Amino acid sequence: MNKVEVRNLTKSFGDLLVLDDVSFDVKDGEFLAIVGPTGCGKTTFLNSLTQIYDIDSGSILLNGEPVNLKKHSLAYIMQEYSTMSWLNVRQNVQFGLEIKGFSRKEVREKAERALELVGLTQFRDYYPNQLSASMLQRVAIARAFAVQPDLLLMDEPYGQLDLELRFKLEDELLNLWRKLGTTVIFITHNIEEAVYLSERILVLSNKPTAIKETIENRLPYPRSVTSEAFVELRNRVTALIKWW
Amino acid sequence: MNRKKKRSFAGSRTEALVYGILSLVILLAVWHLVSLGGRIGKFFPSPFLVIRDFANAFVHAIGRNTMLEHIFFSLRRVLVGFGLGVVVGIPLGLVMACSKAGRAFFMPLFSIVRPIPGLAWIPLAILWFGLGEQSKYFLICMTALVGITMQTFFGALYADPVLIGAARMLGAGKFQLFVHIILPSAIPNIFAGLQGSFAGAWCAVIAAEMIRSDEGTGWIIFNGMNYANTAQVIVGMVAIGLVGLIASTLLKALERRLCAWNIQGK
């Protein structure tokens, strides 16, 4: 069953055509990565999907209906830290649940479970200015998973982290995804990350952005970045977006 | 190579205290020396006389009131005028930041009023409200209003778009965005506005009391000037300085308590 159906999505800013007739589906529970050269319009693509931008033409359906932020449960984790500095870790994780109108008991329970999943239980009373970069991103991840979203959108969420932390959080994300079965769209310019995480990779072209190729990634989890199959797939994707 | 470790001055509280006391002692010594000689000395009472008169003022009345009563009158005026400025300024700043129509309507008016110093309202305040308390409240309010409104406006206007986006994505409506994101984002700026405006309001009350009053710290100075009592003038100035210092310390402590999450408030 398709969770997301994107049909003929077109978006331009003035004369600049950014998205050109993009169509694709995302299956329920699938982990989809979207890669493309820098500045190809990946974020515009996500912002159109989430209605931050109005689209010029085409349609985006979630569970067979046009996306409605009030009705559908969407979570968005971006590169910038999106924790509220005036709320502590627990309150940050509870934020989405409270907005969605869960009962106090549910809010508490779901937030505690999400904190446990990302290993921040003992930091629940800390404020963001007391946390490290990776912890901040884990708070955002806990907040996103806490609402059990229909769709989790991630826009280069680990772009600001160093390599070691990135690996750690990537594994953590995979564990959460497999445990909870959330549908994930993960945007990145890091090809290795896309191959490591996803089940399918959409390769975007330069502007005006179109889907250049869709690659099924059937490598078994847990993946090894040094395995022959991994390197082969990574090189294949790299060749597709090579602009140098 | 044997290098001495560079010590941070601010790191040592004792050192800061010693320097603070030293600067005060030097000030008093220079003041005392100046007061001993020449023409200036005639109109420049020694610091010891001022300290004595200042202490006396808490027991013996200057005019009809003791020092504490004078301070109370001035503080009451400030709190009423400043309170009015807060009640009008914070909502006005929020409306201008959150509503395009509100901004289009109020901003031109506000942009004209903004550069006018609070004290320029003195003639109109007297004509409109007379020489009583109301004109003083009005003057103080107009002085405080501008700073509070502008800081609230900028604080709310520049709420982090990333946070707004994240909250929207989680399904927050306009009202929820306002309560949960925009308002908390503006709080550090609102506090900065309150602190700056309180200092302005405290200056305005002195000016207002100098125009016409029978009590207050401004009156102490004005009355001292009328009777060429320079010690009383300086006693009034010292009272203003000390009350201003205490008020600003209290506001900072309040900010630390309410905005512990904010690095600025730490």
Side-chain angles (χ1 to χ4, degrees), chain B residues 72-138:
Chain B
F72 167 77
F73 283 116
S74 294
L75 267 181
R76 192 179 65 183
R77 286 169 184 143
V78 169
L79 289 180
V80 174
F82 182 70
L84 283 171
V86 171
V87 167
V88 177
I90 292 180
L92 183 60
L94 290 173
V95 166
M96 288 200 299
C98 300
S99 149
K100 281 184 185 159
R103 200 176 318 158
F105 184 81
F106 287 113
M107 199 41 119
L109 296 173
F110 193 73
S111 301
I112 295 170
V113 173
R114 192 177 152 195
I116 302 172
L119 301 185
W121 291 96
I122 290 176
L124 289 179
I126 295 170
L127 287 172
W128 291 343
F129 301 106
L131 290 164
E133 292 299 293
Q134 287 181 353
S135 58
K136 295 178 179 59
Y137 298 152
F138 176 76

Side-chain angles (χ1 to χ4, degrees), chain A residues 59-242:
Chain A
S59 66
I60 303 168
L61 303 180
L62 182 58
N63 292 335
E65 295 170 287
V67 178
N68 178 345
L69 296 179
K70 287 271 175 210
K71 187 176 174 188
H72 295 120
S73 186
L74 255 71
Y76 191 176
I77 300 171
M78 44 208 119
Q79 187 172 353
E80 299 89 355
Y81 303 125
S82 61
T83 46
M84 284 87 183
S85 53
W86 52 90
L87 301 179
N88 65 25
V89 168
R90 180 179 50 79
Q91 291 163 333
N92 260 292
V93 176
Q94 289 180 348
F95 180 76
L97 296 161
E98 282 163 357
I99 292 286
K100 291 194 182 299
F102 284 98
S103 72
R104 286 179 81 169
K105 186 169 169 263
E106 279 177 305
V107 167
R108 234 187 355 257
E109 285 172 2
K110 284 176 190 287
E112 277 305 316
R113 184 164 137 72
L115 283 172
E116 214 175 283
L117 285 171
V118 297
L120 285 178
T121 306
Q122 68 195 86
F123 298 99
R124 60 158 84 81
D125 295 325
Y126 282 51
Y127 279 86
N129 66 2
Q130 298 170 297
L131 302 180
S132 66
S134 73
M135 284 161 116
L136 288 175
Q137 218 44 336
R138 279 149 84 183
V139 175
I141 289 167
R143 186 174 65 199
F145 275 106
V147 296
Q148 289 163 324
D150 293 318
L151 178 62
L152 175 61
L153 304 160
M154 305 181 87
D155 185 6
E156 307 208 19
Y158 308 137
Q160 291 189 28
L161 303 180
D162 64 46
L163 210 60
E164 198 185 326
L165 283 172
R166 227 185 58 208
F167 284 150
K168 189 169 154 36
L169 289 189
E170 281 169 5
D171 282 338
E172 202 170 271
L173 174 66
L174 280 177
N175 281 336
L176 285 171
W177 166 66
R178 296 173 82 180
K179 214 178 276 181
L180 304 174
T182 311
T183 310
V184 182
I185 296 181
F186 192 102
I187 285 193
T188 180
H189 66 269
N190 183 324
I191 297 159
E192 188 174 271
E193 188 171 54
V195 176
Y196 187 73
L197 292 171
S198 69
E199 296 177 296
R200 196 154 57 98
I201 303 169
L202 287 189
V203 183
L204 300 184
S205 67
N206 259 319
K207 277 194 197 90
T209 305
I211 295 175
K212 201 169 184 182
E213 197 163 326
T214 304
I215 296 171
E216 295 291 334
N217 182 358
R218 297 209 170 84
L219 297 175
Y221 295 102
R223 291 171 178 165
S224 159
V225 290
T226 49
S227 76
E228 205 176 308
F230 188 96
V231 174
E232 193 183 309
L233 188 57
R234 195 190 65 199
N235 290 343
R236 197 178 140 204
V237 179
T238 307
L240 279 168
I241 68 161
K242 206 165 181 179

Side-chain angles (χ1 to χ4, degrees), chain B residues 45 53 62 219-224 229-237:
Chain B
D53 282 5
I62 302 178
W219 175 85
I220 295 178
I221 296 175
F222 197 62
N223 183 263
N229 184 349
T230 44
Q232 186 179 320
V233 171
I234 298 175
V235 163
M237 290 166 69

Side-chain angles (χ1 to χ4, degrees), chain A residues 22-36:
Chain A
V22 174
S23 298
F24 69 94
D25 297 328
V26 188
K27 289 192 281 288
D28 194 11
E30 185 180 14
F31 199 126
L32 176 80
I34 299 178
V35 296

